Amino acid sequence: MPQNKIQFQHGMSLNEFIERYGTEARCEEALEQARWPHGFVCPHCGGREHSRFLADGRQYWQCATCRTQSSVCSGTLFHASKLPLTKWFQAIYLVTQNKNNISSLSLKRHLGVSYTTAWRVKHKLLEAMRRRESRRLLHGVVFADDAVLGGEHAGKPGRGSENKAPFMAAVELDEDGYPGHVRFDPIADYKAATFSAWAKSALHPKAHLVTDGCASFNAAGAEVAAHGAIIVGDHKSSELEPFRWINTVISNAKTAINGTYHHFDFDKYRHRYLAEAQYRVNRRFDLASLVGRLAHTCVRTAPCPERWLRLAETGVS
């Protein structure tokens, strides 16, 4: 069997990472380039004229128009962080370059920080991924199906189980029938209104949606150009060729999540863990670029205080 080119990518080696981001100065330079690729722009007034100065070993920019002082981290995901940028970039490297996900406990050991710090760093990076992916709309032919996280304990089987956290999975296929982008979205229930709201936020209006025979998908289909339902009948959807790719991406996402995160509140944090799976799948063709791309996303993500990170998910369809 030939090697899968995607799985056997070189990615970014540890030596390459150290060469690019091994010092505080190099990390700061990378963030400056990501945040202001065409030169400094004041985040307060948009002015470009400025002066620079150093304070406490950190470089600051002062706007000549409004006198606002900014660092490369102010107003971003790294805002007010006491953690060195080298630690942040190490976390970005570990999160993006591992074949599977990395837990906060493993991150703690790799970074040499407390578990609370590792958890905070991990969830801030996941939140950056979630916000970046939330705007993505799937186009063309889109296969969708509902799935669940959890359910290891005894309880009601199937949809509606009290110990399972439901989510929606969707994958767009190209003209040759191969998967492109995907979406994994938490949903509150299996009502028609919930499926309809999901379709509005996840699918392009001209998409052609293909699902199983669940009645609630009719409401989702009403939000797009076309909808086709394949009645599964006595067969499992995984046994039917049309559902091959949607079942593959669901299986891979659940394996990555359940195989890494053994103890987390599915209902409370699934939106970020699903977003991580979505972010990684949608950038699977260029593993080496993920460090720089996630850093770019982080400087365009607003600050996320820990007290906010620990709140239950919001905006679930």
Side-chain angles (χ1 to χ4, degrees), residues 27-310:
C27 292
E28 189 167 342
E29 182 181 350
L31 291 185
E32 180 184 349
Q33 179 61 31
R35 187 174 187 183
W36 301 309
H38 305 296
F40 173 79
V41 177
C42 177
H44 181 69
C45 72
R48 289 184 173 274
E49 295 295 326
H50 66 279
S51 59
R52 297 191 187 197
F53 65 93
L54 291 174
D56 299 325
R58 181 63 60 86
Q59 186 170 210
Y60 289 84
W61 288 255
Q62 180 166 299
C63 177
T65 303
C66 66
R67 314 299 291 176
T68 297
Q69 296 177 354
S70 307
S71 73
V72 74
C73 297
S74 59
T76 74
L77 191 76
F78 310 109
H79 185 83
S81 174
K82 296 179 175 61
L83 202 64
L85 289 178
T86 50
K87 295 287 187 183
W88 274 104
F89 271 83
Q90 288 168 22
I92 291 173
Y93 176 78
L94 292 167
V95 166
T96 59
Q97 297 300 299
N98 274 289
K99 178 182 177 182
N100 295 316
N101 303 336
I102 184 169
S103 67
S104 298
L105 183 58
S106 293
L107 203 58
K108 163 192 178 299
R109 293 166 179 159
H110 283 292
L111 299 181
V113 298
S114 69
Y115 178 79
T116 300
T117 297
W119 186 95
R120 183 167 56 247
V121 168
K122 169 76 174 179
H123 277 258
K124 285 190 177 187
L125 295 179
L126 298 194
E127 180 61 20
M129 293 178 179
R130 188 193 69 80
R131 295 186 187 183
R132 177 66 181 86
E133 285 295 297
S134 65
R135 302 187 297 272
R136 184 181 301 281
L137 295 179
L138 301 186
H139 299 72
V141 177
V142 178
F143 275 75
D145 199 4
D146 59 281
V148 294
L149 291 172
E152 290 83 1
H153 305 295
K156 177 184 176 182
R159 291 186 173 111
S161 174
E162 66 279 356
N163 64 337
K164 295 180 181 179
F167 69 95
M168 190 73 73
V171 56
E172 61 182 22
L173 303 183
D174 63 20
E175 294 180 353
D176 297 321
Y178 288 99
H181 296 109
V182 305
R183 280 197 63 131
F184 301 118
D185 297 289
I187 54 176
D189 50 49
Y190 299 97
K191 296 178 180 178
T194 299
F195 281 42
S196 175
W198 167 79
K200 289 179 181 178
S201 64
L203 306 180
H204 190 277
K206 294 184 179 180
H208 182 163
L209 180 64
V210 182
T211 67
D212 63 17
C214 177
S216 293
F217 275 120
N218 292 329
E223 303 297 336
V224 295
H227 173 222
I230 299 176
I231 307 301
V232 176
D234 295 332
H235 299 280
K236 295 180 180 178
S237 62
S238 59
E239 297 173 350
L240 300 178
E241 180 61 26
F243 290 96
R244 171 191 174 193
W245 288 118
I246 184 62
N247 283 289
T248 297
V249 298
I250 289 175
S251 176
N252 290 346
K254 292 176 68 173
T255 298
I257 292 173
N258 294 331
T260 302
Y261 309 117
H262 302 298
H263 302 286
F264 81 91
D265 190 327
F266 291 105
D267 279 329
K268 191 172 184 180
Y269 298 124
R270 60 181 159 158
H271 57 307
R272 293 197 194 108
Y273 291 109
L274 289 170
E276 179 185 21
Q278 178 177 324
Y279 188 93
R280 291 164 66 97
V281 172
N282 288 339
R283 289 159 183 79
R284 63 193 181 278
F285 297 109
D286 192 359
L287 189 61
S289 71
L290 283 186
V291 175
R293 294 175 74 175
L294 184 51
H296 184 275
T297 296
C298 288
V299 295
R300 283 163 175 73
T301 301
C304 304
E306 182 175 353
R307 65 180 181 276
W308 182 87
L309 288 173
R310 292 189 178 276

